[in-house]
Amino acid sequence: MRLLMLMLCLVPFTSLAEIVVPTRTIRAKEVIAASDLEIKASEVAGAVQNPEALIGQEARVALYPGRPIRPADIGPPAIVDRNDLVTLVFDRAALSIAAEGRALGRGAVGDRIRVMNLASRTTISGVIRPDGQIEVN
């Protein structure tokens, strides 16, 4: 009996984990919906296993059906696109300055992008706020 237990401990077991894969080709910059995903039994290191973590996120690269999705392949959806007109905001204690600018990049909330101040034609960097304004320091 002990020999049987010892042999069972030495035999490697392969367990399959569940991963999330797309059901269709999802292009870059496209927001992922629940109908775009399915769960597949497979063993892939670093693949996303929770579909709730993907729903509402934006694909950073093209995602192909049946292939695993890695965390670096997705991110929060962009709220500012390149060439969008945005409001530049500078807040410091009692001083608040707002100006109009043009986004030179694309990004989501919290991303740092370059923006051109339309009044002075100066290029500056700022962080995207949840309301779409760019906070500059």
Side-chain angles (χ1 to χ4, degrees), residues 15-20 39-44 47-51:
S15 63
L16 295 179
E18 291 183 342
I19 61 169
V20 182
I39 296 177
K40 178 180 174 183
S42 181
E43 187 176 347
V44 178
V48 176
Q49 297 176 339
N50 184 3

Side-chain angles (χ1 to χ4, degrees), residues 69-128:
I69 301 172
R70 303 195 189 283
D73 296 342
I74 54 110
I79 61 169
V80 173
D81 283 320
R82 181 176 168 83
N83 288 326
D84 279 355
L85 292 177
V86 294
T87 302
L88 306 173
V89 178
F90 177 84
D91 285 323
R92 191 64 53 110
L95 178 66
S96 181
I97 301 171
E100 191 173 39
R102 181 171 304 275
L104 299 177
R106 181 175 192 278
V109 175
D111 287 349
R112 179 171 290 278
I113 63 169
R114 292 178 345 131
V115 183
M116 181 176 60
N117 182 333
L118 293 179
S120 66
R121 301 284 187 210
T122 304
T123 301
I124 54 178
S125 293
V127 177
I128 302 174

Side-chain angles (χ1 to χ4, degrees), residues 53-72:
L54 299 173
I55 296 171
Q57 296 292 313
E58 180 179 87
R60 300 280 188 222
V61 296
L63 304 173
Y64 298 103
R67 293 192 182 167
I69 301 172
R70 303 195 189 283

